[in-house]
Amino acid sequence: NAGVTQTPKFRVLKTGQSMTLLCAQDMNHEYMYWYRQDPGMGLRLIHYSVGEGTTAKGEVPDGYNVSRLKKQNFLLGLESAAPSQTSVYFCASSTSYGYTFGSGTRLTVV
Amino acid sequence: DQQVKQNSPSLSVQEGRISILNCDYTNSMFDYFLWYKKYPAEGPTFLISISSIKDKNEDGRFTVFLNKSAKHLSLHIVPSQPGDSAVYFCAALDAGKSTFGDGTTLTVKP
């Protein structure tokens, strides 16, 4: 089915470890986003991309890096994980008037 | 300053009754509004949208109302069903960039 695919779905990291979350979309959307969602809070934008080779900071970018080497992929990296980065991460892609979300990655940093 | 607010974190209604979810915004540049529904352990899914040039949009049991002068958006679900129990996010777009509310948890009791 067409849509947004996130891998992995779950991950437990130790403080200081690094990891990369992968997001892939097959809808040829230009825009892609990484959000985090914490209990009682809405979706907060970490980084986004308006096209292949571009990235920009969102609302809460600190501690994260991203890359958009191919139009269909948007990678979110944590260089040195911290407990404050325990969250559910959602990737999305969009046209101008609607978003399609992935099913999320639940990350726990211990 | 939170530009999109959902002031009710939770709402409980009886099956068959109307559910009304509210959303307020402050940015008059928002030109498109969307509602998303989110079940636990899943990504948000698009529900219904409305352009700023309209004041009502209907899709089956779901109707979104926009009051631009009051900067207020509402989602009506009639009749409510237990399967509608989820977290509902409103989102507002300004030149394609979205801002999400914190969400309202709807519980529909059988």
Side-chain angles (χ1 to χ4, degrees):
Chain A
N1 290 336
V4 177
T5 303
Q6 290 183 233
T7 53
K9 295 189 183 302
F10 302 94
R11 186 73 186 268
V12 178
L13 285 180
K14 292 183 179 179
T15 297
Q17 284 186 318
S18 64
M19 78 162 295
T20 300
L21 283 67
L22 172 64
C23 177
Q25 54 100 0
D26 57 5
M27 297 169 287
N28 204 35
H29 287 170
E30 291 290 339
Y31 290 67
M32 295 188 75
Y33 312 81
W34 275 105
Y35 291 90
R36 60 178 287 174
Q37 186 189 16
D38 300 298
M41 301 184 73
L43 295 161
R44 293 188 292 168
L45 182 64
I46 304 171
H47 285 280
Y48 65 99
S49 168
V50 300
E52 181 179 319
T54 75
T55 63
K57 293 181 179 180
E59 182 184 355
V60 287
D62 293 342
Y64 305 95
N65 57 75
V66 288
S67 65
R68 183 99 181 266
L69 298 180
K70 293 183 179 180
K71 186 177 184 178
Q72 63 269 34
N73 295 335
F74 196 30
L75 278 64
L76 177 71
L78 286 74
E79 290 187 349
S80 179
S84 61
Q85 294 177 304
T86 294
S87 188
V88 181
Y89 292 84
F90 290 101
C91 175
S93 69
S94 77
T95 60
S96 296
Y97 296 105
Y99 285 48
T100 301
F101 285 87
S103 58
T105 297
R106 184 172 294 276
L107 176 66
T108 303
V109 183
V110 298
Chain B
D1 179 34
Q2 195 168 8
Q3 295 188 57
V4 178
K5 289 185 180 180
Q6 293 177 253
N7 291 317
S8 297
S10 63
L11 175 67
S12 181
V13 300
Q14 206 67 35
E15 181 179 6
R17 299 288 185 100
I18 184 171
S19 295
I20 300 177
L21 296 97
N22 294 305
C23 181
D24 296 299
Y25 63 95
T26 57
N27 185 352
S28 59
M29 298 301 291
F30 288 140
D31 58 3
Y32 204 77
F33 303 87
L34 307 96
W35 283 95
Y36 289 85
K37 181 165 82 170
K38 183 184 177 305
Y39 293 116
E42 294 183 13
T45 55
F46 170 74
L47 193 57
I48 193 169
S49 64
I50 188 167
S51 165
S52 61
I53 63 173
K54 294 187 175 182
D55 55 17
K56 178 181 174 181
N57 188 25
E58 202 168 348
D59 183 5
R61 296 185 298 113
F62 303 91
T63 303
V64 56
F65 294 92
L66 176 62
N67 183 333
K68 285 182 65 179
S69 61
K71 294 190 175 65
H72 179 78
L73 186 72
S74 64
L75 173 68
H76 292 208
I77 307 173
V78 183
S80 301
Q81 300 173 353
D84 295 329
S85 297
V87 179
Y88 290 78
F89 293 97
C90 67
L93 274 67
D94 172 13
K97 188 174 178 182
S98 70
T99 303
F100 287 84
D102 288 344
T104 297
T105 300
L106 173 65
T107 303
V108 180
K109 298 179 179 178

